[in-house]
Amino acid sequence: VYWWYSGRVAEPLLAREHLTRFPLRRVHATSGLVLVAGLAADNYLPLYMQTTRGRSEVFAAFSVLFLTIGWSGAAFVVSRLLDRWHESDAILAGTCVMLPATALAGTAIALGWPIPIVFTAFFLMGCAIGFVSTSGLTLLQSAANDDEMGRVNAAHQFIRALSITYGVAVGGAILLLVVDREVGDVEVVRDVLGGEDVAPSPATLDAIRDGLAWVHVFSGLAAVAAIWAATILWRLVRAGRADATTVDAP
């Protein structure tokens, strides 16, 4: 509805060009997709730790820390690397890290591998988000004029918020769907998410494990889409830089 509205008024709050103009569209897409891939799974990791792995509520809450550490650490590292790298190089590198990290996390959960492997995979997923999101913001700001910087940043934050919301929603839908198909009752999962003191059956514990593993399949598909978008961005930026070099050459 807003897309329709923004094309009919002279000065919309969020113009279409702030979503579609090169390279903004690719920046929005890559950042949004890696957030979908990472947070769709990370949001339900505490549920898996508390139920299937039988860990305490405190330990389960602690499990989300690893993606955050990877995100923050990678953001710091990439801020240094951008002195030598172009933003599109870092974005492509980050998306390429997300796919194997997601595959490792999903495999470790499905096969019951040691918890440190799961945490390592989520740390790498956080690193991928840090690389893409930080580089994307830098590229976005360099591509915007000073008088539109606020609206361009607002458009990007809007896309990021939507990506997180939809990623978490789709991840939860997949998890509950698998539990419903395998057990026929999702109330136990809802009770655990609501903080109720319940004891899930062994079949429910296995269903939660399988559900989270399938969430990682969805995350993997989002990671593949992110690589595709980042590759196009990298090629277009590289072609533009080559054309600029040719024009400036004597």
Side-chain angles (χ1 to χ4, degrees):
V1 171
Y2 184 81
W3 183 264
W4 171 83
Y5 166 78
S6 65
R8 296 176 63 87
V9 297
E11 296 183 0
L13 181 64
L14 178 60
R16 291 182 178 182
E17 64 173 321
H18 297 148
L19 296 172
T20 60
R21 191 181 70 212
F22 180 82
L24 304 183
R25 178 173 57 182
R26 302 297 175 185
V27 173
H28 297 326
T30 51
S31 296
L33 287 167
V34 295
L35 285 170
V36 167
L39 297 181
D42 184 67
N43 196 69
Y44 300 99
L45 185 60
L47 171 68
Y48 167 77
M49 288 295 170
Q50 189 176 349
T51 55
T52 305
R53 290 299 180 106
R55 301 293 177 169
S56 67
E57 187 174 345
V58 174
F59 185 92
F62 175 75
S63 65
V64 300
L65 183 63
F66 292 91
L67 183 140
T68 305
I69 292 175
W71 187 339
S72 302
F76 174 78
V77 171
V78 78
S79 67
R80 303 294 183 180
L81 289 176
L82 289 180
D83 292 336
R84 299 187 299 273
W85 288 15
H86 190 272
E87 291 88 348
S88 61
D89 300 328
I91 290 173
L92 181 59
T95 57
C96 290
V97 170
M98 178 59 80
L99 183 59
T102 302
L104 176 61
T107 303
I109 288 171
L111 301 181
W113 287 356
I115 290 177
I117 297 179
V118 178
F119 287 162
T120 299
F122 275 86
F123 171 79
L124 293 174
M125 291 165 69
C127 290
I129 295 175
F131 261 71
V132 175
S133 61
T134 303
S135 303
L137 280 172
T138 305
L139 180 57
L140 177 145
Q141 291 169 359
S142 65
N145 298 323
D146 292 340
D147 59 349
E148 65 173 359
M149 186 69 70
R151 286 185 290 172
V152 169
N153 276 289
H156 188 62
Q157 296 303 325
F158 177 67
I159 296 298
R160 286 165 63 106
L162 284 181
S163 300
I164 294 171
T165 302
Y166 287 131
V168 172
V170 174
I174 293 172
L175 178 61
L176 292 178
L177 177 63
V178 172
V179 172
D180 183 61
R181 294 291 295 271
E182 293 189 10
V183 182
D185 182 15
V186 300
E187 293 305 318
V188 173
V189 177
R190 289 174 177 162
D191 289 341
V192 174
L193 289 174
E196 300 290 337
D197 186 13
V198 296
S201 66
T204 303
L205 298 179
D206 291 342
I208 292 173
R209 176 201 64 205
D210 296 341
L212 188 57
W214 277 106
V215 172
H216 282 81
V217 174
F218 165 72
S219 294
L221 294 175
V224 171
I227 293 174
W228 172 75
T231 301
I232 295 176
L233 173 64
W234 181 81
R235 289 177 176 174
L236 291 175
V237 169
R238 188 177 183 184
R241 294 169 67 187
D243 291 343
T245 301
T246 301
V247 171
D248 292 341

